[in-house]
Amino acid sequence: MTTRLSGVIPPLVTPLTEDGEVDAGSFKRLIDRLIDAGVSGLFVCGSTSEVALLSDRLRDDVVRIAVDAAQGRVPVLAGVIDTGTLRMIDHARRAEKLGAKGIVATPPFYIAPNPAEIIEHYRALAKAVSVPVIAYNIPSATHVGIPMESLDVLAHEGTIGALKDSSGDIMYFRTAIETIGDAGIGILTGSEVFADLALELGATGIVPGIGNVDPYGYVAIQKAAETGDWETARREQERLIKLFEIVTVADLSRIGFTAGALGSFKMALYQLGVIDNPTTCTPMLPLNDEESEIIRQHLVDAGLKPVR
Amino acid sequence: MTTRLSGVIPPLVTPLTEDGEVDAGSFKRLIDRLIDAGVSGLFVCGSTSEVALLSDRLRDDVVRIAVDAAQGRVPVLAGVIDTGTLRMIDHARRAEKLGAKGIVATPPFYIAPNPAEIIEHYRALAKAVSVPVIAYNIPSATHVGIPMESLDVLAHEGTIGALKDSSGDIMYFRTAIETIGDAGIGILTGSEVFADLALELGATGIVPGIGNVDPYGYVAIQKAAETGDWETARREQERLIKLFEIVTVADLSRIGFTAGALGSFKMALYQLGVIDNPTTCTPMLPLNDEESEIIRQHLVDAGLKPVR
Amino acid sequence: MTTRLSGVIPPLVTPLTEDGEVDAGSFKRLIDRLIDAGVSGLFVCGSTSEVALLSDRLRDDVVRIAVDAAQGRVPVLAGVIDTGTLRMIDHARRAEKLGAKGIVATPPFYIAPNPAEIIEHYRALAKAVSVPVIAYNIPSATHVGIPMESLDVLAHEGTIGALKDSSGDIMYFRTAIETIGDAGIGILTGSEVFADLALELGATGIVPGIGNVDPYGYVAIQKAAETGDWETARREQERLIKLFEIVTVADLSRIGFTAGALGSFKMALYQLGVIDNPTTCTPMLPLNDEESEIIRQHLVDAGLKPVR
Amino acid sequence: MTTRLSGVIPPLVTPLTEDGEVDAGSFKRLIDRLIDAGVSGLFVCGSTSEVALLSDRLRDDVVRIAVDAAQGRVPVLAGVIDTGTLRMIDHARRAEKLGAKGIVATPPFYIAPNPAEIIEHYRALAKAVSVPVIAYNIPSATHVGIPMESLDVLAHEGTIGALKDSSGDIMYFRTAIETIGDAGIGILTGSEVFADLALELGATGIVPGIGNVDPYGYVAIQKAAETGDWETARREQERLIKLFEIVTVADLSRIGFTAGALGSFKMALYQLGVIDNPTTCTPMLPLNDEESEIIRQHLVDAGLKPVR
């Protein structure tokens, strides 16, 4: 990680056993499949991992198993999502000790920090660990965006090693490229649906949640982008946009939005035979048979091969 | 706590030393002052405590010191604010072991749960501890409200021992009174500014942040309410509304909203000689001299006696 | 209107014929019933009137018919809701010419004005007509609130003759009472559900939409408030809160929220035999039989007597 | 307009005299400059025109003068922004009579319509005029988005002749291309800042507000897009993004956001010698000298030549 973060770095789901423990066997199969597909890193304990619901013990299990399974083939980055700086420092130190090569941190939330306090926060994190700190912008979850003025300072003074932007706002991303593109750090998009455009605008890498299900597609986009073949990138992206519709198949009067979205990734991986259980973390409720069947159909439509 | 939660139960600030440790001496003085003023319980590790920023170790220190200082005179309730159920269970078990007589829990946040998952969440919490679970509705911080339909189920099936509503929406509160008033549980308002109206509507108790600074005023409102003397309640409330303006004196281009609001409580307590330091938890920035002076003036206007 | 606006001033629905013209016969029956019940004014062309959907010609018909039907028994106030100052001036001049004794105006919307521009706006309106201008705060519809600082200036310099607050935020209202209570102008709440509390806080009058359906109840609240009989006021308010649930019976996957809410008032008035058609203005869709039946049941539960 | 709307169709500002009348001379100069630069249509009475603040008389003046000035060189489209269907029909009929070749309509707002009512609305508009109806999606102003399901129906049944999307959400736009791209209608972006990306995704045309100030740049983007020269398009877009920063130079504690944004376009056109006055419509307040100077500098930086 002395170089810029780049390539496809999927935010991994956390395979669970039926009784809610990390399912090491499934997790290793998932990791092998991703590495075989050509990803350049693994981001565990991100939003896609249900990190907000995992206890500290489960988070540690996730990092430990991932580092063990990766066997150094690609670096493992670990999210340290929590409401406050001191809390994230605790997570970050444990993750570093367990072998994470970078830690990914949102701003503090629940509270309402201002741009100066967000700078303060990342400086404290960077001082607490020796691996790079990646700033994670995901206001849909935190309700606290990383202001461009904070990003500017943090990138140029060397506090952060990368930005992961999951705002869904292409102009935030474009402005970030413009503002910190010269800082020599990774600029990653978390978008599943405009990875092609983000790469065209100068993204160094992509972090797509549905890359768990179809890593091949995003690796293809990334490779097409490298050669400037935007038409191929766009065609592949459009296929993946359709596949991404699985995040909205759940009936929201029955289960929550996050349960439906993250549950659909797990259900798809279960149907593809990659993981043994589609179980999500309590208190999220499961998808039902009808919804699962729609997901299966989406897999078929996208050219993937469900085995159950 | 076999009876309904009632009376004034202030959400305590967490006095810190300059290097960010819990300041036990200041904390004990604060607690003695509150109990002397006539509060009926102490709510630690609530939003006012900067709980979102406190490490697990600091949270434990807070509960331990509070229980020790209260010496059984009034019960200590402990907030277990976190993003997920398993995480809150861990906090709740530690708090119970440390002597908390009730735990106060938000819904999961960062994720987007639905009403059924929120029910699931509180049931899991209630199963994990033997002290009552108090449902904490504070959508301004969590961005996840507790739906009335969930509340209805939880109150009537006996899962929760009280509601603490800090929504600021009097109709949510009024509807809650209407919906779960017959369940025999505590119905508390977290409002600093319409405690009088909430009591008139049937609140069993009040949890005002600025009750740290002026517990006498809220105890006076509570006592006036008991005798139906609404005019006195209203007059006292109006005085406290003016005092509450200290939460907005901070210049938000310099420090964050939460830093300004919670910082103002600490600054006032420091000026009143109750705590030794106005320090807030990292990464929040401090109030400046000009702002502090305005706070001091508010104290004087409210009839309180700053000593520095 | 040389005196403060006070009492119950319902915002009238606009009875329509099946082909979308103002139904003068129904409108007169509605007005007679309201005046008989003891209201002190009639507010036409408010949000409840579907004003946003009415053409200028229909708006003029509404004012003309209302003034004619009122026959000077109570004053008619006319809303001049529109996006901009010049547009509202045109409406205001027509309304004044047609006999309106006051005009009710929101801030400009669609655009994003600041506090100074909102002051500018009301000054221009007040200069354009000789009847009082009432400031109408309804951010749920306009997405532009009237800032307290603007209100303070406008009330104390004599630009506005009253405030009608439909924010649903009791603290906005309470602060308004505190801020402009000494200006000698009317301070009206548009809340259907906390009219009792608003009166207790010092409201001079109330403007409840469901007062179309049950004016007796709100007049009873107002009378109880005058004698300080808050228990009666609260009991009556609680009955009306239940009746007000008719605004949410519509299936929002079938018709819009406004269609369901305003349609429920018209359906209730149709069922009570006051108006001849429950028709709402295009493009709003009608309630269906199932929803109508629930509304009828609510009327019965509230002690009203549907005749069809 | 039997063909798809395409090319650059700027939404024109409305030049005003100091006393608030439409300044025909300035307006004609603006129109000549735009047509000389190569625009393919003129969109008057859009949000950029301050339409929300213009009286009906001023709106009619705008359409009349624009049609007269265009002299058939390019078609004039007229916005009919208002809160309700009947109101927009009145505007649409007047605009058609005055020579507009298409009318541009938002959904109803102030009320909360549902997808079916939005379909209803556009059908009523389309029936009322013989020129094409263009659906205008601008939720930042209306707070009512056009749902994709409504758009799908309206485009495929032939009710609307084009979409103008000013949502700022590239995924809304991308999904629209995917959903209605086969309907043979114009799909226009209102974005000033990702016109290049929108064209790459399949936009048939662009409607950039700052195209008033620098039409040459957007025409260059459009021409580069036609030949697939995305690098040139991107470079030009990046220059225009910087120029677009003039919309944020205003001090929002002094004047409103819209006053600052639309005022900056007028100030730039005034400085370029195109219009005689930077006056905006009441109640919007003017930019001050300091802000104007920053705008002038932006013009210079963008390669434009201010003359005052």
Side-chain angles (χ1 to χ4, degrees), chain A residues 48-60:
Chain A
T48 304
S49 79
E50 304 165 73
V51 65
L53 301 177
L54 302 179
S55 65
D56 283 0
R57 186 178 63 74
L58 289 173
R59 291 182 182 204
D60 290 353

mmCIF file with all atom_site columns, all heavy atoms in Angstrom, chain A residues 48-60:
data_model
loop_
_atom_site.group_PDB
_atom_site.id
_atom_site.type_symbol
_atom_site.label_atom_id
_atom_site.label_alt_id
_atom_site.label_comp_id
_atom_site.label_asym_id
_atom_site.label_entity_id
_atom_site.label_seq_id
_atom_site.pdbx_PDB_ins_code
_atom_site.Cartn_x
_atom_site.Cartn_y
_atom_site.Cartn_z
_atom_site.occupancy
_atom_site.B_iso_or_equiv
_atom_site.pdbx_formal_charge
_atom_site.auth_seq_id
_atom_site.auth_comp_id
_atom_site.auth_asym_id
_atom_site.auth_atom_id
_atom_site.pdbx_PDB_model_num
ATOM 1   N N   . THR A 1 48 ? -21.462 -2.959  3.545  1.00 0.00 ? 48 THR A N   1
ATOM 2   C CA  . THR A 1 48 ? -21.981 -4.188  2.949  1.00 0.00 ? 48 THR A CA  1
ATOM 3   C C   . THR A 1 48 ? -21.814 -5.394  3.868  1.00 0.00 ? 48 THR A C   1
ATOM 4   O O   . THR A 1 48 ? -22.529 -6.388  3.749  1.00 0.00 ? 48 THR A O   1
ATOM 5   C CB  . THR A 1 48 ? -21.255 -4.438  1.608  1.00 0.00 ? 48 THR A CB  1
ATOM 6   O OG1 . THR A 1 48 ? -21.429 -3.294  0.774  1.00 0.00 ? 48 THR A OG1 1
ATOM 7   C CG2 . THR A 1 48 ? -21.778 -5.662  0.903  1.00 0.00 ? 48 THR A CG2 1
ATOM 8   N N   . SER A 1 49 ? -20.882 -5.303  4.787  1.00 0.00 ? 49 SER A N   1
ATOM 9   C CA  . SER A 1 49 ? -20.593 -6.422  5.700  1.00 0.00 ? 49 SER A CA  1
ATOM 10  C C   . SER A 1 49 ? -21.559 -6.483  6.869  1.00 0.00 ? 49 SER A C   1
ATOM 11  O O   . SER A 1 49 ? -21.408 -7.331  7.745  1.00 0.00 ? 49 SER A O   1
ATOM 12  C CB  . SER A 1 49 ? -19.183 -6.262  6.272  1.00 0.00 ? 49 SER A CB  1
ATOM 13  O OG  . SER A 1 49 ? -19.189 -5.306  7.336  1.00 0.00 ? 49 SER A OG  1
ATOM 14  N N   . GLU A 1 50 ? -22.523 -5.556  6.911  1.00 0.00 ? 50 GLU A N   1
ATOM 15  C CA  . GLU A 1 50 ? -23.399 -5.414  8.082  1.00 0.00 ? 50 GLU A CA  1
ATOM 16  C C   . GLU A 1 50 ? -22.608 -4.975  9.302  1.00 0.00 ? 50 GLU A C   1
ATOM 17  O O   . GLU A 1 50 ? -23.002 -5.254  10.444 1.00 0.00 ? 50 GLU A O   1
ATOM 18  C CB  . GLU A 1 50 ? -24.141 -6.737  8.373  1.00 0.00 ? 50 GLU A CB  1
ATOM 19  C CG  . GLU A 1 50 ? -24.947 -7.269  7.191  1.00 0.00 ? 50 GLU A CG  1
ATOM 20  C CD  . GLU A 1 50 ? -25.375 -8.730  7.373  1.00 0.00 ? 50 GLU A CD  1
ATOM 21  O OE1 . GLU A 1 50 ? -26.271 -8.997  8.178  1.00 0.00 ? 50 GLU A OE1 1
ATOM 22  O OE2 . GLU A 1 50 ? -24.767 -9.596  6.700  1.00 0.00 ? 50 GLU A OE2 1
ATOM 23  N N   . VAL A 1 51 ? -21.519 -4.278  9.089  1.00 0.00 ? 51 VAL A N   1
ATOM 24  C CA  . VAL A 1 51 ? -20.623 -3.898  10.181 1.00 0.00 ? 51 VAL A CA  1
ATOM 25  C C   . VAL A 1 51 ? -21.350 -3.215  11.332 1.00 0.00 ? 51 VAL A C   1
ATOM 26  O O   . VAL A 1 51 ? -21.000 -3.398  12.503 1.00 0.00 ? 51 VAL A O   1
ATOM 27  C CB  . VAL A 1 51 ? -19.474 -2.991  9.655  1.00 0.00 ? 51 VAL A CB  1
ATOM 28  C CG1 . VAL A 1 51 ? -20.018 -1.662  9.150  1.00 0.00 ? 51 VAL A CG1 1
ATOM 29  C CG2 . VAL A 1 51 ? -18.415 -2.781  10.715 1.00 0.00 ? 51 VAL A CG2 1
ATOM 30  N N   . ALA A 1 52 ? -22.376 -2.425  10.996 1.00 0.00 ? 52 ALA A N   1
ATOM 31  C CA  . ALA A 1 52 ? -23.080 -1.676  12.034 1.00 0.00 ? 52 ALA A CA  1
ATOM 32  C C   . ALA A 1 52 ? -23.758 -2.608  13.027 1.00 0.00 ? 52 ALA A C   1
ATOM 33  O O   . ALA A 1 52 ? -24.036 -2.229  14.161 1.00 0.00 ? 52 ALA A O   1
ATOM 34  C CB  . ALA A 1 52 ? -24.119 -0.737  11.415 1.00 0.00 ? 52 ALA A CB  1
ATOM 35  N N   . LEU A 1 53 ? -24.008 -3.840  12.587 1.00 0.00 ? 53 LEU A N   1
ATOM 36  C CA  . LEU A 1 53 ? -24.718 -4.802  13.438 1.00 0.00 ? 53 LEU A CA  1
ATOM 37  C C   . LEU A 1 53 ? -23.785 -5.804  14.106 1.00 0.00 ? 53 LEU A C   1
ATOM 38  O O   . LEU A 1 53 ? -24.213 -6.546  14.999 1.00 0.00 ? 53 LEU A O   1
ATOM 39  C CB  . LEU A 1 53 ? -25.759 -5.546  12.592 1.00 0.00 ? 53 LEU A CB  1
ATOM 40  C CG  . LEU A 1 53 ? -26.814 -4.651  11.928 1.00 0.00 ? 53 LEU A CG  1
ATOM 41  C CD1 . LEU A 1 53 ? -27.745 -5.477  11.062 1.00 0.00 ? 53 LEU A CD1 1
ATOM 42  C CD2 . LEU A 1 53 ? -27.609 -3.876  12.979 1.00 0.00 ? 53 LEU A CD2 1
ATOM 43  N N   . LEU A 1 54 ? -22.538 -5.852  13.676 1.00 0.00 ? 54 LEU A N   1
ATOM 44  C CA  . LEU A 1 54 ? -21.614 -6.866  14.206 1.00 0.00 ? 54 LEU A CA  1
ATOM 45  C C   . LEU A 1 54 ? -21.012 -6.419  15.530 1.00 0.00 ? 54 LEU A C   1
ATOM 46  O O   . LEU A 1 54 ? -20.573 -5.277  15.672 1.00 0.00 ? 54 LEU A O   1
ATOM 47  C CB  . LEU A 1 54 ? -20.484 -7.115  13.197 1.00 0.00 ? 54 LEU A CB  1
ATOM 48  C CG  . LEU A 1 54 ? -20.888 -7.568  11.787 1.00 0.00 ? 54 LEU A CG  1
ATOM 49  C CD1 . LEU A 1 54 ? -19.638 -7.745  10.915 1.00 0.00 ? 54 LEU A CD1 1
ATOM 50  C CD2 . LEU A 1 54 ? -21.697 -8.859  11.823 1.00 0.00 ? 54 LEU A CD2 1
ATOM 51  N N   . SER A 1 55 ? -20.945 -7.338  16.481 1.00 0.00 ? 55 SER A N   1
ATOM 52  C CA  . SER A 1 55 ? -20.255 -7.044  17.742 1.00 0.00 ? 55 SER A CA  1
ATOM 53  C C   . SER A 1 55 ? -18.753 -6.911  17.466 1.00 0.00 ? 55 SER A C   1
ATOM 54  O O   . SER A 1 55 ? -18.267 -7.297  16.408 1.00 0.00 ? 55 SER A O   1
ATOM 55  C CB  . SER A 1 55 ? -20.489 -8.188  18.731 1.00 0.00 ? 55 SER A CB  1
ATOM 56  O OG  . SER A 1 55 ? -19.880 -9.369  18.226 1.00 0.00 ? 55 SER A OG  1
ATOM 57  N N   . ASP A 1 56 ? -18.031 -6.386  18.434 1.00 0.00 ? 56 ASP A N   1
ATOM 58  C CA  . ASP A 1 56 ? -16.583 -6.278  18.279 1.00 0.00 ? 56 ASP A CA  1
ATOM 59  C C   . ASP A 1 56 ? -15.958 -7.642  18.021 1.00 0.00 ? 56 ASP A C   1
ATOM 60  O O   . ASP A 1 56 ? -15.034 -7.780  17.205 1.00 0.00 ? 56 ASP A O   1
ATOM 61  C CB  . ASP A 1 56 ? -15.955 -5.660  19.542 1.00 0.00 ? 56 ASP A CB  1
ATOM 62  C CG  . ASP A 1 56 ? -16.169 -4.151  19.604 1.00 0.00 ? 56 ASP A CG  1
ATOM 63  O OD1 . ASP A 1 56 ? -16.789 -3.594  18.675 1.00 0.00 ? 56 ASP A OD1 1
ATOM 64  O OD2 . ASP A 1 56 ? -15.709 -3.528  20.585 1.00 0.00 ? 56 ASP A OD2 1
ATOM 65  N N   . ARG A 1 57 ? -16.444 -8.657  18.729 1.00 0.00 ? 57 ARG A N   1
ATOM 66  C CA  . ARG A 1 57 ? -15.878 -9.982  18.547 1.00 0.00 ? 57 ARG A CA  1
ATOM 67  C C   . ARG A 1 57 ? -16.079 -10.463 17.112 1.00 0.00 ? 57 ARG A C   1
ATOM 68  O O   . ARG A 1 57 ? -15.157 -10.971 16.471 1.00 0.00 ? 57 ARG A O   1
ATOM 69  C CB  . ARG A 1 57 ? -16.522 -10.979 19.523 1.00 0.00 ? 57 ARG A CB  1
ATOM 70  C CG  . ARG A 1 57 ? -15.866 -12.363 19.470 1.00 0.00 ? 57 ARG A CG  1
ATOM 71  C CD  . ARG A 1 57 ? -16.459 -13.346 20.463 1.00 0.00 ? 57 ARG A CD  1
ATOM 72  N NE  . ARG A 1 57 ? -17.853 -13.645 20.233 1.00 0.00 ? 57 ARG A NE  1
ATOM 73  C CZ  . ARG A 1 57 ? -18.310 -14.426 19.247 1.00 0.00 ? 57 ARG A CZ  1
ATOM 74  N NH1 . ARG A 1 57 ? -17.487 -14.994 18.386 1.00 0.00 ? 57 ARG A NH1 1
ATOM 75  N NH2 . ARG A 1 57 ? -19.606 -14.641 19.113 1.00 0.00 ? 57 ARG A NH2 1
ATOM 76  N N   . LEU A 1 58 ? -17.276 -10.263 16.580 1.00 0.00 ? 58 LEU A N   1
ATOM 77  C CA  . LEU A 1 58 ? -17.538 -10.691 15.201 1.00 0.00 ? 58 LEU A CA  1
ATOM 78  C C   . LEU A 1 58 ? -16.693 -9.890  14.207 1.00 0.00 ? 58 LEU A C   1
ATOM 79  O O   . LEU A 1 58 ? -16.176 -10.442 13.230 1.00 0.00 ? 58 LEU A O   1
ATOM 80  C CB  . LEU A 1 58 ? -19.028 -10.554 14.873 1.00 0.00 ? 58 LEU A CB  1
ATOM 81  C CG  . LEU A 1 58 ? -19.950 -11.563 15.573 1.00 0.00 ? 58 LEU A CG  1
ATOM 82  C CD1 . LEU A 1 58 ? -21.419 -11.219 15.307 1.00 0.00 ? 58 LEU A CD1 1
ATOM 83  C CD2 . LEU A 1 58 ? -19.653 -13.000 15.128 1.00 0.00 ? 58 LEU A CD2 1
ATOM 84  N N   . ARG A 1 59 ? -16.543 -8.596  14.473 1.00 0.00 ? 59 ARG A N   1
ATOM 85  C CA  . ARG A 1 59 ? -15.698 -7.789  13.578 1.00 0.00 ? 59 ARG A CA  1
ATOM 86  C C   . ARG A 1 59 ? -14.270 -8.329  13.558 1.00 0.00 ? 59 ARG A C   1
ATOM 87  O O   . ARG A 1 59 ? -13.647 -8.431  12.492 1.00 0.00 ? 59 ARG A O   1
ATOM 88  C CB  . ARG A 1 59 ? -15.670 -6.328  14.052 1.00 0.00 ? 59 ARG A CB  1
ATOM 89  C CG  . ARG A 1 59 ? -16.987 -5.588  13.874 1.00 0.00 ? 59 ARG A CG  1
ATOM 90  C CD  . ARG A 1 59 ? -16.832 -4.154  14.317 1.00 0.00 ? 59 ARG A CD  1
ATOM 91  N NE  . ARG A 1 59 ? -18.083 -3.402  14.215 1.00 0.00 ? 59 ARG A NE  1
ATOM 92  C CZ  . ARG A 1 59 ? -18.148 -2.084  14.100 1.00 0.00 ? 59 ARG A CZ  1
ATOM 93  N NH1 . ARG A 1 59 ? -17.045 -1.356  14.096 1.00 0.00 ? 59 ARG A NH1 1
ATOM 94  N NH2 . ARG A 1 59 ? -19.312 -1.469  14.008 1.00 0.00 ? 59 ARG A NH2 1
ATOM 95  N N   . ASP A 1 60 ? -13.771 -8.677  14.728 1.00 0.00 ? 60 ASP A N   1
ATOM 96  C CA  . ASP A 1 60 ? -12.413 -9.211  14.788 1.00 0.00 ? 60 ASP A CA  1
ATOM 97  C C   . ASP A 1 60 ? -12.324 -10.538 14.048 1.00 0.00 ? 60 ASP A C   1
ATOM 98  O O   . ASP A 1 60 ? -11.349 -10.803 13.332 1.00 0.00 ? 60 ASP A O   1
ATOM 99  C CB  . ASP A 1 60 ? -11.982 -9.381  16.252 1.00 0.00 ? 60 ASP A CB  1
ATOM 100 C CG  . ASP A 1 60 ? -11.763 -8.034  16.936 1.00 0.00 ? 60 ASP A CG  1
ATOM 101 O OD1 . ASP A 1 60 ? -11.821 -6.995  16.241 1.00 0.00 ? 60 ASP A OD1 1
ATOM 102 O OD2 . ASP A 1 60 ? -11.533 -8.027  18.156 1.00 0.00 ? 60 ASP A OD2 1
#
